[in-house]
């Protein structure tokens, strides 16, 4: 396991930490692999009842590391990034997220697969795919309208308008907005509450909650992935990504 994705298990909760704050927790190909491996290990471990996803106190995740993304393009839906998306979409155990600071791109779309999300007052969700010449991923073109409605989803995905923490809570994307210093403690407490409940009943309840959209979600992830990969090789996306990297 790479040291930029840390995993620990205590009292039934596996905590998966994005640990690359110097790069705003931007995800590399290796980090996608590590995240998918961490979820697979948590699913296989009978002692793990719940997974808690967290970032740094100043940033949850800035999305893809654009330099790594351009050097190692996600060429095909079997690439590490798409493996992670399928893994989190299928993950059968409860997922809790503690979000402080920006959650951008995949940092925001992965939250749609979490069962409970607790955000700090300084948290912001941003979906900048169109501005980068790309399309949404992680099934977000299906899940986001289901949660917030078509118009709000269109503003987030097409205009790229940011969702501040309070607006995200009002729209139903997060369970609660808390002072930044309290987010992790509250998320841990809620994960512990879940871990103490009857395991089979908890798993079956999550399965039932997700069963109506599971097949459609996995199909949408594949559809988005195919379009995303195609657009990634086109001039608009290459220029937009190159411009973004140059600004950085």
């Amino acid at each position: 396991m790479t040291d930029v994705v840390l995993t620990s298990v205590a009292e039934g909760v596996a905590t998966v930490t994005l640990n690359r704050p110097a790069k705003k927790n931007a995800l590399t190909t290796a980090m996608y692999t590590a995240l998918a491996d961490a979820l697979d290990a948590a699913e296989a471990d009978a002692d793990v009842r719940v997974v808690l996803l967290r970032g740094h106190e100043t940033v949850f995740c800035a999305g893809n590391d654009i330099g790594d993304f351009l050097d190692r393009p996600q060429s095909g839906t079997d690439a590490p990034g798409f493996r992670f998306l399928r893994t989190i979409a299928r993950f059968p155990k409860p997922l809790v997220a503690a979000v402080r600071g920006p959650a951008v791109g995949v940092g925001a779309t992965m939250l749609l697969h979490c069962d409970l999300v607790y955000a700090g007052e300084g948290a912001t969700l941003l979906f900048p795919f169109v501005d980068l010449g790309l399309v949404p991923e992680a099934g977000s073109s299906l899940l986001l309208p289901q949660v917030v409605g078509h118009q709000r989803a269109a503003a987030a995905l097409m205009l790229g308008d940011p969702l501040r923490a309070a607006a995200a809570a009002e729209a139903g994307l997060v369970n609660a907005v808390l002072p930044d210093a309290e987010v992790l403690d509250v998320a841990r407490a809620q994960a512990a509450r879940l871990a103490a409940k009857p395991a089979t009943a908890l798993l079956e309840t999550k399965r039932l909650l997700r069963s109506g959209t599971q097949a459609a979600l996995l199909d949408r992830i594949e559809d988005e992935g195919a379009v995303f990969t195609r657009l990634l090789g086109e001039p608009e996306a290459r220029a937009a990504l190159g411009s973004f990297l140059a600004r950085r």
Side-chain angles (χ1 to χ4, degrees):
M1 183 70 69
T2 174
D3 62 1
V4 289
V5 176
L6 306 176
T7 303
S8 61
V9 178
E11 298 181 347
V13 178
T15 300
V16 178
T17 302
L18 301 175
N19 187 45
R20 198 182 178 223
K23 296 294 184 179
K24 300 183 180 180
N25 284 340
L27 298 181
T28 63
T29 299
M31 290 173 74
Y32 277 122
T33 297
L35 284 167
D37 287 348
L39 290 178
D40 283 343
E43 180 178 354
D45 188 345
D47 290 333
V48 172
R49 302 285 191 90
V50 181
V51 170
L52 171 62
L53 296 174
R54 57 167 295 200
H56 187 258
E57 61 187 20
T58 61
V59 59
F60 180 71
C61 174
N64 284 302
D65 182 303
I66 299 300
D68 181 84
F69 196 58
L70 291 173
D71 289 341
R72 301 173 181 83
Q74 303 288 302
S75 55
T77 57
D78 290 331
F82 292 114
R83 177 196 163 206
F84 165 67
L85 298 182
R86 286 192 297 271
T87 301
I88 197 170
R90 293 190 180 112
F91 191 70
K93 298 179 180 180
L95 284 164
V96 179
V99 182
R100 295 173 291 182
V104 181
V106 69
T109 59
M110 73 170 73
L111 300 176
L112 296 170
H113 299 279
C114 294
D115 302 290
L116 299 174
V117 179
Y118 297 95
E121 292 170 334
T124 302
L125 278 60
L126 184 63
F127 306 85
F129 303 103
V130 169
D131 289 340
L132 295 174
L134 301 169
V135 294
E137 33 76 328
S140 56
S141 63
L142 175 68
L143 295 177
L144 193 60
Q146 288 178 346
V147 177
V148 306
H150 176 83
Q151 282 72 24
R152 278 176 167 168
L157 296 177
M158 298 172 72
L159 290 174
D161 288 347
L163 278 170
R164 309 296 180 192
E170 192 272 331
L173 285 169
V174 305
N175 291 81
V177 178
L178 305 156
D180 288 333
E182 297 177 14
V183 173
L184 185 56
D185 287 342
V186 170
R188 281 173 171 157
Q190 297 296 70
R193 286 182 63 195
L194 290 173
K197 294 182 181 293
T200 301
L202 198 60
L203 290 174
E204 289 295 334
T205 297
K206 173 161 180 171
R207 182 186 67 80
L208 290 166
L209 281 167
R210 299 279 181 162
S211 62
T213 58
Q214 187 72 16
L217 173 58
L218 293 172
D219 286 345
R220 184 63 61 89
I221 288 173
E222 296 301 316
D223 190 4
E224 290 172 345
V227 179
F228 190 101
T229 301
R230 173 171 59 82
L231 292 183
L232 188 58
E234 295 192 358
E236 276 188 336
R238 303 297 289 185
L241 291 166
S243 177
F244 178 87
L245 187 61
R247 291 197 301 271
R248 284 291 180 89

